Amino acid sequence: MGRLFAVEIIYRGIFQKTLAKNISRGIVLAAHQAGKPGISFGRYSDSPERNGIPAKSFAIVGTDQETLERGMAKYEPKEVDITITVDDTLCKGVESWAWYGLQPVNKLLKQGGTLIVTSRETPEALISMAHRKEYPYQLCIVKGTVSFSGLWVYKDDHSDVRILGTIARILPELFTLDSLKKVIQDEWHDAVKVSSAERAYERFTSTTVRPNQGNPETPYKFDLPKWHEMGEGVAIPSIPTGKQIEDPGTHAMGGYRPDRNPTFKKFSTRTMRPVVDFDTCIKCTLCWLQCPDTCFDVTPDGLYDANMQACCGCGVCEAVCPVPNCVTMINETEFRDNSSQWEAWKKDKSGYKTWLQQKIESRPERSHGFRYRGQYKEQIPEMLEIAREG
Ligand code: SF4
Ligand code: SF4
């Protein structure tokens, strides 16, 4: 039997679906150039309501047809040579469905395999987000902002060919740079894209991630019921009503926290999260009313605390809040836990204010959308610089 190569691309459905498809298709076409058969296919992203939900594409290539067919007998690869994630916030983990809980981004990666991330973060920041593995692997950063390349409203930023050029360097047995250049020319008819792939190939660097590095937490998970534990017929249990909340200072009970889905948590759905200035909140209720995911807990003192188990990071609360700078959306890479902001504020108001200010100043740029008119224009020079530097 020959050798089987497997690459997975983790992306945000549906916005990055075309980008992921272009990468997985590019892998298979480049491998075909050297006579290796392959197939690319997607998982989890077939419905518009999965906007922002982590999804996957796979590219499977064999050195011969029989090897490919044997490999494809599996529903989904159990291990991969390369994992690509085109949104760095997914380094915290992937929860595609309410089936598994949170899967580490590097879960399927083989020993010595490579995790490719498009990001402006440092290797240290990304390593601290990804869960630990028992064996070493390589981390390669393709410098860039989160790309929606392939979406009709978004300009092509060459993320697809830059990632393909990086793969040619990491795994030349899969396909060579010459094969890739031919595919790019044939498929896209674009010499500039060819040179972007070449530049990514030449500028490749990687960092070894050791078993003692990374997030030591056990990823959130739950047990699925076995078939014999399921009830007869179809029963969809309703969500129970919520409970009151305890004030961490006075221990008085009050407010209201709705009961939420006990299995599906939205930790990995969002790329941003709201931070709330409780000192300036006027308790107008608009964020609570308008949040599409009912994620605000009403606190005993009548404030509104965005619960991170339920928040999908849409930014509606920021848009509807009438008080300037009371709610601010911040890039998810800035956070390491999902604890209550209101509880932190109650325990230490001046410490919370300092934390809030530091978070707001640390990441003025958005993962999607804009805080004010003209922000996009201001960010263009910096984005061009990133593209030039590779
Ligand atoms: S970003 Fe705001 S409105 Fe959107 S889900 Fe989170 S708390 Fe709700
Ligand atoms: S919309 Fe703003 S001011 Fe109104 S309750 Fe929510 S956080 Fe407070």
Side-chain angles (χ1 to χ4, degrees):
M1 189 164 142
R3 177 162 178 199
L4 194 74
F5 301 91
V7 179
E8 66 171 344
I9 301 120
I10 308 175
Y11 65 96
R12 296 234 174 241
I14 241 172
F15 309 107
Q16 295 184 305
K17 184 173 183 161
T18 309
L19 172 62
K21 188 191 75 186
N22 286 346
I23 296 167
S24 56
R25 197 164 166 268
I27 292 168
V28 171
L29 290 175
H32 273 187
Q33 289 286 325
K36 297 186 198 85
I39 185 165
S40 72
F41 58 97
R43 293 290 314 275
Y44 319 133
S45 67
D46 54 353
S47 169
E49 67 264 20
R50 293 193 185 140
N51 284 353
I53 297 282
K56 289 188 182 188
S57 266
F58 291 95
I60 312 293
V61 171
T63 45
D64 56 83
Q65 192 62 36
E66 191 192 335
T67 303
L68 177 67
E69 282 173 18
R70 283 194 191 191
M72 288 309 302
K74 294 172 204 143
Y75 185 49
E76 187 176 301
K78 294 282 178 279
E79 58 174 21
V80 296
D81 300 278
I82 294 175
T83 293
I84 299 158
T85 175
V86 283
D87 181 335
D88 55 6
T89 56
L90 288 167
C91 286
K92 287 185 173 187
V94 180
E95 188 183 10
S96 297
W97 292 346
W99 274 29
Y100 311 111
L102 191 72
Q103 289 192 341
V105 70
N106 49 21
K107 182 171 189 255
L108 300 187
L109 207 56
K110 280 180 183 170
Q111 181 159 358
T114 304
L115 173 63
I116 300 176
V117 186
T118 51
S119 181
R120 297 171 60 194
E121 299 286 343
T122 61
E124 293 72 30
L126 297 179
I127 290 168
S128 73
M129 281 193 267
H131 290 86
R132 287 184 183 184
K133 272 191 94 66
E134 287 169 4
Y135 45 75
Y137 66 94
Q138 298 294 311
L139 169 69
C140 168
I141 299 175
V142 175
K143 205 169 173 193
T145 49
V146 174
S147 172
F148 291 171
S149 178
L151 204 64
W152 66 100
V153 291
Y154 192 89
K155 294 254 184 284
D156 184 5
D157 60 6
H158 295 192
S159 287
D160 44 13
V161 292
R162 292 175 67 219
I163 289 169
L164 288 167
T166 305
I167 297 173
R169 179 73 179 263
I170 294 168
L171 205 55
E173 310 93 298
L174 177 57
F175 59 81
T176 61
L177 183 62
D178 285 342
S179 301
L180 175 64
K181 282 160 65 177
K182 181 151 188 345
V183 168
I184 296 171
Q185 198 54 54
D186 291 351
E187 287 288 310
W188 283 288
H189 313 289
D190 186 340
V192 185
K193 285 191 83 127
V194 174
S195 67
S196 287
E198 279 177 322
R199 280 224 300 267
Y201 181 92
E202 285 156 14
R203 292 175 183 180
F204 164 83
T205 57
S206 73
T207 306
T208 302
V209 186
R210 301 186 196 291
N212 61 352
Q213 292 181 294
N215 178 357
E217 288 171 8
T218 305
Y220 153 75
K221 65 172 185 185
F222 52 87
D223 290 326
L224 289 173
K226 308 281 180 295
W227 67 267
H228 55 83
E229 293 166 349
M230 294 179 185
E232 279 183 29
V234 176
I236 300 176
S238 60
I239 299 284
T241 52
K243 301 178 195 68
Q244 291 190 323
I245 299 171
E246 183 181 341
D247 185 308
T250 63
H251 302 292
M253 298 300 288
Y256 179 73
R257 174 178 294 144
D259 257 7
R260 302 193 164 95
N261 189 318
T263 50
F264 184 49
K265 315 284 181 197
K266 301 224 182 90
F267 305 135
S268 70
T269 304
R270 58 176 180 267
T271 56
M272 300 194 288
R273 74 168 67 174
V275 290
V276 180
D277 187 345
F278 298 103
D279 289 319
T280 61
C281 171
I282 57 169
K283 306 182 180 178
C284 71
T285 75
L286 282 175
C287 55
W288 174 73
L289 275 171
Q290 299 294 332
C291 172
D293 287 34
T294 323
C295 37
F296 280 93
D297 295 341
V298 185
T299 68
D301 44 3
L303 290 160
Y304 297 89
D305 187 24
N307 190 304
M308 289 302 125
Q309 289 193 13
C311 173
C312 68
C314 68
V316 166
C317 50
E318 182 193 57
V320 299
C321 180
V323 180
N325 303 321
C326 180
V327 180
T328 309
M329 298 300 292
I330 307 284
N331 194 298
E332 188 60 28
T333 53
E334 287 298 306
F335 303 93
R336 291 292 178 274
D337 65 36
N338 294 294
S339 56
S340 160
Q341 292 170 24
W342 172 75
E343 281 181 18
W345 175 75
K346 287 297 276 189
K347 284 177 191 155
D348 176 7
K349 290 189 181 167
S350 77
Y352 180 80
K353 193 86 179 173
T354 308
W355 174 87
L356 186 72
Q357 212 47 44
Q358 182 262 323
K359 288 289 175 215
I360 291 170
E361 284 164 12
S362 62
R363 292 300 293 262
E365 82 278 6
R366 296 315 188 77
S367 55
H368 63 82
F370 297 99
R371 178 91 166 127
Y372 52 85
R373 192 181 287 262
Q375 190 181 1
Y376 181 59
K377 230 174 176 177
E378 284 174 19
Q379 287 177 7
I380 286 176
E382 194 187 359
M383 286 154 81
L384 282 174
E385 191 57 30
I386 290 172
R388 256 193 298 274
E389 283 179 6

